[in-house]
Amino acid sequence: MAIRTIREIGDPVLNKVAKEVTEITPRIRDLIDDMVETMYEANGVGLAAPQVGILKRIVVIDVTGEDLLVLINPRIVETSGEQTGNEGCLSVPGKTGIVTRPNYVKVVAQNEDMETIELEGTELLARAFCHEIEHLDGHLYVEKVEGDLMNTADLEDDEDEE
Ligand code: NI
């Protein structure tokens, strides 16, 4: 496993559409391992492959620190409700902004054995599903921020970054 460099806003790879994963190769397994290590090392709650410069539809999420999710080719199939709160991104270091997201999200994806899985999340997990899946289509949360992007240093509490 290895820590990969996290690409930052302004890097064109973050605005490209990632490609479907059709088979799990040793290279893909290495990528997933590295994404997990890179996310934890950066104290993030989620990371999408384009953030380490790879245009594949893979995301890793862990919103509790003990519940790792690896999603391949994820897509949102159902949403409901609404939540408004602070969001951050490892590709936009030191910043945070207010974004409104659904409060409930259902996702269909493949796991590391290419089996189809269905996952549901509310609150922070629902937010992470939306945020990470948007990375796969070349979008960053800053496009959706209500009001100004703020410096995390100006807030009292540290925010989780995705
Ligand atoms: Ni992000």
Side-chain angles (χ1 to χ4, degrees):
M1 301 218 292
I3 304 287
R4 301 210 185 187
T5 302
I6 297 175
R7 306 300 184 91
E8 295 184 0
I9 187 168
D11 187 320
V13 77
L14 294 173
N15 298 118
K16 294 191 169 138
V17 177
K19 292 193 173 64
E20 294 272 321
V21 174
T22 54
E23 62 170 333
I24 303 297
T25 61
R27 222 177 140 91
I28 294 281
R29 285 194 193 279
D30 285 348
L31 169 64
I32 292 168
D33 286 348
D34 289 354
M35 286 174 62
V36 170
E37 192 176 354
T38 303
M39 173 181 72
Y40 285 135
E41 203 263 345
N43 293 313
V45 299
L47 189 72
Q51 292 182 274
V52 293
I54 307 291
L55 288 170
K56 302 264 189 208
R57 301 188 80 83
I58 302 171
V59 309
V60 297
I61 292 172
D62 189 346
V63 296
T64 65
E66 48 195 38
D67 200 6
L68 176 65
L69 301 174
V70 176
L71 306 180
I72 296 164
N73 305 321
R75 59 197 172 84
I76 292 170
V77 295
E78 196 180 321
T79 64
S80 67
E82 200 175 88
Q83 58 173 319
T84 298
N86 275 306
E87 202 159 311
C89 179
L90 294 173
S91 294
V92 191
K95 302 284 183 186
T96 184
I98 304 281
V99 182
T100 297
R101 300 286 192 183
N103 197 50
Y104 164 87
V105 174
K106 186 193 280 187
V107 170
V108 171
Q110 270 103 49
N111 64 14
E112 289 168 276
D113 298 315
M114 290 303 272
E115 296 160 341
T116 298
I117 53 171
E118 193 177 277
L119 296 161
E120 296 174 298
T122 59
E123 299 172 7
L124 181 56
L125 182 55
R127 181 177 291 280
F129 284 150
C130 296
H131 178 115
E132 300 309 333
I133 290 170
E134 285 180 1
H135 271 300
L136 303 180
D137 289 315
H139 295 291
L140 298 177
Y141 84 98
V142 296
E143 299 164 30
K144 297 197 160 175
V145 164
E146 297 156 28
D148 294 327
L149 206 56
M150 296 170 283
N151 293 315
T152 48
D154 295 339
L155 296 181
E156 285 182 0
D157 301 313
D158 284 338
E159 296 296 325
D160 294 319
E161 296 188 300
E162 292 157 28

